[in-house]
Amino acid sequence: MNVSQLSTWLKCQWLWYKVYVDGVRPRYERPAISLGTCTHDILAAYLLGRDPELGILEWEKQYKKIELTTEEMDLCEEVRSTAWKIFERTKKEIDLGHRFDTATDADGERLVEYHFQIEHPIGDYLGFQGYVDWVAIELANGREWLTDWKVRKTFQPVDAEEFSMQMALYTKMVRSNGLNPVGSMTWQLKSAAARAPKENKATTKKGRTLSRQLILTDWETYEEAIRAIGGDPIDYLDMKDKLSAVEWSRQSRAYWSDATIEGLWQEAMRATSEIGTVCSRSVSYLNCKPCRLRDLCQAGIRGDDTDFLMKTQFQFRDDKPSPLPILVDDDEDEIEPSLKEE
């Protein structure tokens, strides 16, 4: 049982049964082109002390055996370029060796893309296993943080981490393995590259000028555009202040006390013991609007031909859920056939 399964069960028992027992998912005819995965792979290579470009090569492996369309190849190039720019921004923020460093295990292995498990029999299950992107050490105080990267258009609030059962359970598991993280951190990264400003159509006595509209860009990109039209950056210093308000990343942190972790662990155990006992639909606007199996569910309620839908809109997973529960990242549970962000 994983956190994604537990969340699905608490939301809608019918959806849990269809996804995790029947193995139903939307039918995707083409591969996902994932910005989030590409960014993760680059950051992992960097934090492991390797050439970051090896991360791109790792990401590209999944497409080697697929004959991509021209549109998909163009999208891959766009993803590579955007992911690299996200990495360059994030690298400056990490400031490896000065602001942050990477924790190691007893054998000296860097804890990047760190897999761990805990034995705790639950029914027919042997225990839990989990994964985090990075165990970071904040060098100013020596604190360890279980860190997940999220590539997003819109950031979640700073306090969102305080409501993450997943990361609380991860912290319990990692502490049982001998590490001592004070908490967890979701490091959210803006899923876009800095945009070039538009040039004004009208010229002035000083010549060509740029728009002063606030857009998703940074001063370095804006200054480069100024010089490209023969302008003087001094004339645009107001934009430097304005662009400093653009948020390219956000850290959402939570300190996990032993009492909080134990309370959430007991809640998870109680909920887990109930899973599979009933299979009722939970029909509501908030549940059904974002549901990826909504059409199949509504067809079943109306008594329509669900077999036709299974042949045209849905399919069964190639791999059934593992008998050993995995506490996975909810955002990576389903991959859309598009430029995936999270």
Side-chain angles (χ1 to χ4, degrees):
M1 186 58 55
N2 60 47
V3 171
S4 181
Q5 290 187 40
L6 179 58
S7 298
T8 302
W9 172 260
L10 294 173
K11 181 183 298 183
C12 178
Q13 297 154 5
W14 177 89
L15 177 62
W16 175 88
Y17 191 89
K18 286 297 179 183
V19 172
Y20 295 105
V21 178
D22 288 347
V24 176
R25 67 175 181 177
R27 183 179 295 276
Y28 301 140
E29 302 297 341
R30 300 303 301 167
I33 310 296
S34 174
L35 175 62
T37 302
C38 188
T39 305
H40 277 69
D41 288 346
I42 297 172
L43 284 166
Y46 169 67
L47 294 169
L48 286 168
R50 303 170 183 163
D51 183 346
E53 291 190 3
L54 292 177
I56 295 180
L57 297 178
E58 182 67 28
W59 175 76
E60 290 177 336
K61 283 182 181 179
Q62 62 189 306
Y63 306 113
K64 293 295 185 182
K65 298 180 180 180
I66 302 173
E67 187 174 346
L68 298 177
T69 65
T70 300
E71 182 180 14
E72 287 167 341
M73 288 189 287
D74 291 343
L75 184 55
C76 279
E77 182 57 39
E78 177 188 345
V79 166
R80 281 192 293 265
S81 175
T82 302
W84 188 261
K85 290 174 181 177
I86 294 172
F87 161 68
E88 289 183 321
R89 286 199 305 262
T90 308
K91 177 182 176 181
K92 293 177 183 178
E93 291 188 41
I94 294 172
D95 196 11
L96 201 62
H98 297 91
R99 185 184 179 197
F100 287 96
D101 212 334
T102 302
T104 58
D105 62 15
D107 298 322
E109 295 292 327
R110 299 183 187 187
L111 300 180
V112 179
E113 297 186 333
Y114 175 44
H115 294 261
F116 44 86
Q117 65 182 42
I118 182 174
E119 293 184 5
H120 190 95
I122 306 169
D124 295 332
Y125 298 108
L126 300 178
F128 286 109
Q129 63 179 0
Y131 165 93
V132 292
D133 294 323
W134 181 35
V135 182
I137 302 175
E138 196 166 15
L139 295 178
N141 48 42
R143 292 170 179 162
E144 293 180 357
W145 295 92
L146 302 185
T147 305
D148 265 352
W149 306 109
K150 298 294 182 190
V151 182
R152 290 173 168 157
K153 284 184 179 179
T154 305
F155 293 151
Q156 291 185 353
V158 172
D159 61 355
E161 192 76 4
E162 298 175 13
F163 303 95
S164 175
M165 176 181 283
Q166 171 185 319
M167 297 308 288
L169 300 183
Y170 278 5
T171 302
K172 176 182 178 67
M173 295 162 66
V174 170
R175 286 178 182 173
S176 71
N177 288 343
L179 297 175
N180 190 33
V182 296
S184 60
M185 169 170 56
T186 296
W187 199 320
Q188 304 175 82
L189 309 174
K190 184 66 73 175
S191 61
R195 293 165 47 192
K198 292 182 178 179
E199 182 178 348
N200 293 321
K201 294 181 179 180
T203 59
T204 66
K205 294 180 179 180
K206 291 187 176 182
R208 299 158 64 187
T209 60
L210 295 178
S211 168
R212 281 180 158 81
Q213 181 180 1
L214 181 60
I215 60 173
L216 189 63
T217 192
D218 51 32
W219 174 246
E220 290 77 9
T221 303
Y222 197 94
E223 184 178 21
E224 183 179 343
I226 296 170
R227 298 188 186 281
I229 63 170
D232 187 346
I234 293 178
D235 296 331
Y236 293 87
L237 290 181
D238 60 312
M239 286 302 300
K240 187 173 185 179
D241 292 336
K242 185 184 290 187
L243 293 174
S244 65
V246 176
E247 190 176 22
W248 292 102
S249 70
R250 180 184 294 177
Q251 295 176 17
S252 176
R253 303 192 188 200
Y255 290 88
W256 295 111
S257 68
D258 291 338
T260 300
I261 289 174
E262 187 58 30
L264 289 174
W265 178 262
Q266 294 303 323
E267 288 292 327
M269 294 305 100
R270 279 193 290 272
T272 300
S273 67
E274 298 170 354
I275 288 180
T277 56
V278 291
C279 182
S280 301
R281 288 177 170 89
S282 180
V283 180
S284 71
Y285 176 78
L286 292 178
N287 276 353
C288 298
K289 186 177 185 298
C291 178
R292 56 189 180 272
L293 302 189
R294 179 179 60 185
D295 290 348
L296 186 63
C297 175
Q298 292 179 332
I301 292 174
R302 294 191 300 265
D304 292 345
D305 186 359
T306 56
D307 289 340
F308 175 76
L309 283 178
M310 282 302 306
K311 294 176 182 177
T312 57
Q313 295 186 34
F314 301 93
Q315 64 187 38
F316 293 101
R317 287 182 183 271
D318 294 330
D319 54 329
K320 295 293 183 179
S322 167
L324 182 63
I326 304 172
L327 296 178
V328 297
D329 186 325
D330 291 355
D331 290 333
E332 298 298 332
D333 190 44
E334 292 292 338
I335 298 179
E336 301 294 336
S338 60
L339 196 155
K340 188 173 183 295
E341 295 156 4
E342 298 185 1

